[in-house]
Amino acid sequence: SGVKLSYGTSGFRADASILQSTVFRVGILAALRSLRTQSVIGLMITASHNQVSDNGIKVGDPSGGMLTQDWEPFADSIANAPTPQELLQLVEEFVAKEGIRFDGSRPAKVLLGRDTRPSGDSLLEAAKQGISSIVGASAVDMGIVTTPQLHWMVRAKNKGLKAAELDYFEQLSSSYRCLLDLIPNGSKVEKAENKLVVDGANGVGSEKLEGLKKSLDGLDIEIRNTGKEGVLNEGVGADFVQKEKILPQEFGPKDCCRCASLDGDADRLVYFTLPSESSSKIDLVDGDKILTLFAVFIKEQMVEDGYHARLGVIQTAYANGASTNYLRQLGLEIALTPTGVKYLHEKAAEYDVGIYFEANGHGTILFSDHFLSWLEAKNNELGSEQKKAALRLLAVSKLINQAVGDALSGLLLVEAILIHKGWSICKWNGLYQDLPSRQLKVKVIDRTAVVTENAETIAVKPPGIQEAINAEIAKYPCGRCFIRPSGTEDVVRVYAEASTQEAADSLANSVAKIADQFLGSRSSSSV
């Protein structure tokens, strides 16, 4: 009673104690989606980087991607239906509207996965009951898996491929080995950097990385925060490291080596290093830097292979301006989208090769079927160096998880590229220096009063607000600032960059005051 749930990019998330009925109902939705598409659908029970007492559920579509936006209103309506009778009525109306055959003549299959949260078992049972309430539908329990693993399994199943966890490990490890075999003679990372120390966020990613390690010769990985003692996402994980920019638990001043951090369900990845033993402040290598590394490598291979393919780099307005400038200087095509993985993924699919990452470390690379077919067909016709470049691109397409962002596959690709180029983490991190930035949120009475265009970089309503923002931006060297309405609460978010931290803070505060004047806000706070 009194709870209103909304299906977003991360599905439904809430305190685990109130989610059983919601998960049951999403089980119904997943079975109907399978009937409608005549494909395997995925259901993942996780709350990613949220605290351990939370949980959530999200649907994986036949492509392995997120649930189509067309079905999100139905998800909202059945999750919030106050009585069984209203739930039944909503289901019957939706089945009729979608033309779903509801007579048991067609089978429906849903793959179920969960992370390591204690609440996962009971919610899994609720999902199974929801699925089995639809005639002809069956649930397949894939066990404790990372979110990207489940999405990979759904994609593989619908392509008619093997889709067990061992198949996932084999595809990642063999593709990684292939990239190492194709490294030019003479490339070698300094011996001191051979070891990689990984923060597993006390989550499922540490367990799966341990399993993956067994098939990886020559990659020295030490995993900490494995969940045997610590608490999931508490002072650990990619979200914590990226936001706080300090060492996670179980890391200390002696850890001046190359380090990486996964998030709770292993769909985000960031790297970091400790510049000195006298400070816990880290040098963060975030999603923007990972995107840059991937883009540099792929561009080099595409020049070699001789095919005039379109390579697109997809970012949101939150990407650090220094990364965007660096990528432009390399001659790369950059596209901006509104905030949200669904927009990034959709735009990336328009290119022969589309790369997207958010600063939080979530992202992937998409390869068009046409481009992959060309690479495979031309393999025997290409010269020696061109052939190697084509083989590298094919290996990347198999190593990277094209369904969703995947910290494990991303980590292996980062490692392979660093070895290929002979780069240390310091060399990689030094490609460009991030511009100082500040984010604020301003409480407002009605966030819908703000309307944006150009991938949320220009506010067209209320009238006059963008002109006032532009006047402030002009006062600061390297100044950039935008406002956008939150998707979940009555606040307007402010993002500002400038040449110094003091200037970025000042610009953000000035624009927050402008938002206050135009929108009748109540207060502002840092985020």
Side-chain angles (χ1 to χ4, degrees):
S1 177
V3 174
K4 185 167 174 61
L5 294 157
S6 178
Y7 194 98
T9 299
S10 51
F12 291 117
R13 276 190 202 168
D15 188 285
S17 64
I18 64 165
L19 276 179
Q20 278 197 324
S21 66
T22 305
V23 171
F24 171 84
R25 293 168 181 204
V26 177
I28 294 172
L29 180 148
L32 294 177
R33 185 74 182 144
S34 181
L35 287 174
R36 178 70 178 82
T37 60
Q38 280 298 282
S39 302
V40 175
I41 296 296
L43 266 192
M44 184 67 198
I45 297 168
T46 181
S48 189
H49 51 273
N50 283 32
Q51 60 193 14
V52 69
S53 57
D54 287 348
N55 217 322
I57 184 146
K58 55 183 171 183
V59 181
D61 245 8
S63 66
M66 293 179 294
L67 175 68
T68 178
Q69 292 177 58
D70 296 344
W71 278 49
E72 287 182 8
F74 176 58
D76 287 347
S77 62
I78 62 169
N80 294 302
T83 66
Q85 291 76 19
E86 287 184 58
L87 170 64
L88 188 58
Q89 184 181 345
L90 285 166
V91 170
E92 288 176 338
E93 287 172 356
F94 189 75
V95 163
K97 179 173 82 76
E98 290 286 322
I100 298 170
R101 290 181 65 178
F102 205 48
D103 54 9
S105 62
R106 294 180 178 182
K109 184 177 280 188
V110 181
L111 303 188
L112 282 169
R114 65 194 185 282
D115 68 12
T116 54
R117 292 163 197 270
S119 57
D121 281 338
S122 63
L123 294 179
L124 182 82
E125 186 55 39
K128 285 179 177 176
Q129 289 185 24
I131 293 162
S132 62
S133 71
I134 300 298
V135 177
S138 62
V140 181
D141 183 2
M142 306 307 288
I144 292 175
V145 292
T146 70
T147 295
Q149 277 185 308
L150 187 81
H151 285 267
W152 183 93
M153 290 166 176
V154 170
R155 186 173 188 263
K157 274 281 186 191
N158 286 317
K159 284 178 170 282
L161 304 171
K162 292 180 180 177
E165 182 172 86
L166 285 176
D167 302 310
Y168 169 86
F169 287 155
E170 171 55 29
Q171 180 164 318
L172 265 61
S173 58
S174 62
S175 305
Y176 173 76
R177 285 194 298 269
C178 180
L179 282 171
L180 293 194
D181 290 342
L182 290 163
I183 287 174
N185 292 332
S187 291
K188 196 174 183 185
V189 175
E190 298 163 21
K191 281 191 175 178
E193 282 235 339
N194 278 351
K195 187 174 188 179
L196 173 67
V197 185
V198 178
D199 159 29
N202 291 318
V204 63
S206 60
E207 177 189 321
K208 302 308 174 184
L209 184 55
E210 199 66 62
L212 187 57
K213 263 177 65 176
K214 293 170 185 171
S215 52
L216 295 172
D217 296 329
L219 185 55
D220 186 4
I221 299 177
E222 178 189 340
I223 307 168
R224 299 181 191 170
N225 299 321
T226 61
K228 290 173 182 169
E229 293 179 5
V231 178
L232 175 70
N233 296 328
E234 198 170 285
V236 295
D239 190 61
F240 171 83
V241 170
Q242 191 249 338
K243 284 181 177 166
E244 302 299 326
K245 295 183 175 60
I246 59 173
L247 289 171
Q249 289 179 13
E250 302 303 320
F251 284 71
K254 300 289 185 191
D255 293 312
C256 293
C257 52
R258 193 169 81 264
C259 305
S261 188
L262 321 176
D263 77 330
D265 65 341
D267 68 352
R268 294 185 184 184
L269 169 72
V270 296
Y271 274 69
F272 62 93
T273 186
L274 193 65
S276 74
E277 293 186 16
S278 59
S279 169
S280 64
K281 281 283 183 185
I282 60 168
D283 279 345
L284 177 70
V285 187
D286 64 6
D288 291 341
K289 287 268 171 74
I290 294 172
L291 180 149
T292 302
L293 182 71
F294 290 176
V296 166
F297 179 75
I298 286 173
K299 182 174 187 282
E300 288 172 355
Q301 309 317 311
M302 289 173 76
V303 169
E304 287 277 359
D305 72 26
Y307 179 77
H308 298 294
R310 279 187 79 205
L311 169 60
V313 174
I314 325 300
Q315 294 184 310
T316 72
Y318 283 105
N320 195 276
S323 76
T324 308
N325 292 337
Y326 180 81
L327 292 162
R328 281 210 177 100
Q329 286 166 13
L330 294 177
L332 288 159
E333 182 179 341
I334 299 183
L336 282 185
T337 73
T339 305
V341 173
K342 56 190 172 187
Y343 300 111
L344 290 158
H345 197 93
E346 191 177 85
K347 189 67 180 176
E350 295 177 12
Y351 293 84
D352 291 310
V353 183
I355 312 172
Y356 72 84
F357 264 84
E358 295 177 293
N360 62 24
H362 186 279
T364 189
I365 308 170
L366 303 185
F367 290 79
S368 72
D369 290 338
H370 177 78
F371 182 51
L372 291 177
S373 298
W374 183 89
L375 288 172
E376 285 165 354
K378 291 289 181 181
N379 229 341
N380 296 325
E381 301 173 23
L382 297 172
S384 176
E385 288 310 310
Q386 287 181 319
K387 182 169 183 172
K388 284 181 181 177
L391 288 171
R392 286 185 198 109
L393 289 170
L394 286 169
V396 171
S397 75
K398 293 183 175 72
L399 175 54
I400 203 74
N401 188 337
Q402 294 190 55
V404 289
D406 185 336
L408 301 188
S409 71
L411 181 144
L412 291 186
L413 184 52
V414 166
E415 293 301 307
I417 295 173
L418 291 179
I419 296 169
H420 176 98
K421 297 189 75 65
W423 284 2
S424 66
I425 190 170
C426 294
K427 168 103 175 176
W428 170 26
N429 198 30
L431 291 177
Y432 63 83
Q433 293 301 313
D434 280 331
L435 286 165
S437 65
R438 173 65 62 207
Q439 293 186 51
L440 298 175
K441 57 183 182 180
V442 182
K443 289 185 179 177
V444 294
I445 296 162
D446 178 15
R447 68 180 185 272
T448 63
V450 177
V451 178
T452 62
E453 286 182 353
N454 292 5
E456 302 175 322
T457 58
I458 303 291
V460 293
K461 287 183 182 178
I465 195 167
Q466 188 60 50
E467 289 76 9
I469 292 170
N470 291 344
E472 282 302 312
I473 292 171
K475 298 175 183 177
Y476 297 89
C478 303
R480 183 170 75 93
C481 190
F482 64 89
I483 63 169
R484 57 178 285 270
S486 166
T488 55
E489 52 185 328
D490 272 326
V491 300
V492 167
R493 301 191 184 277
V494 178
Y495 178 88
E497 280 177 1
S499 56
T500 67
Q501 190 61 59
E502 186 182 4
D505 293 347
S506 176
L507 176 55
N509 284 315
S510 297
V511 171
K513 286 174 185 170
I514 290 169
D516 186 53
Q517 291 162 9
F518 276 81
L519 297 156
S521 64
R522 296 186 283 271
S523 64
S524 67
S525 61
S526 180
V527 288

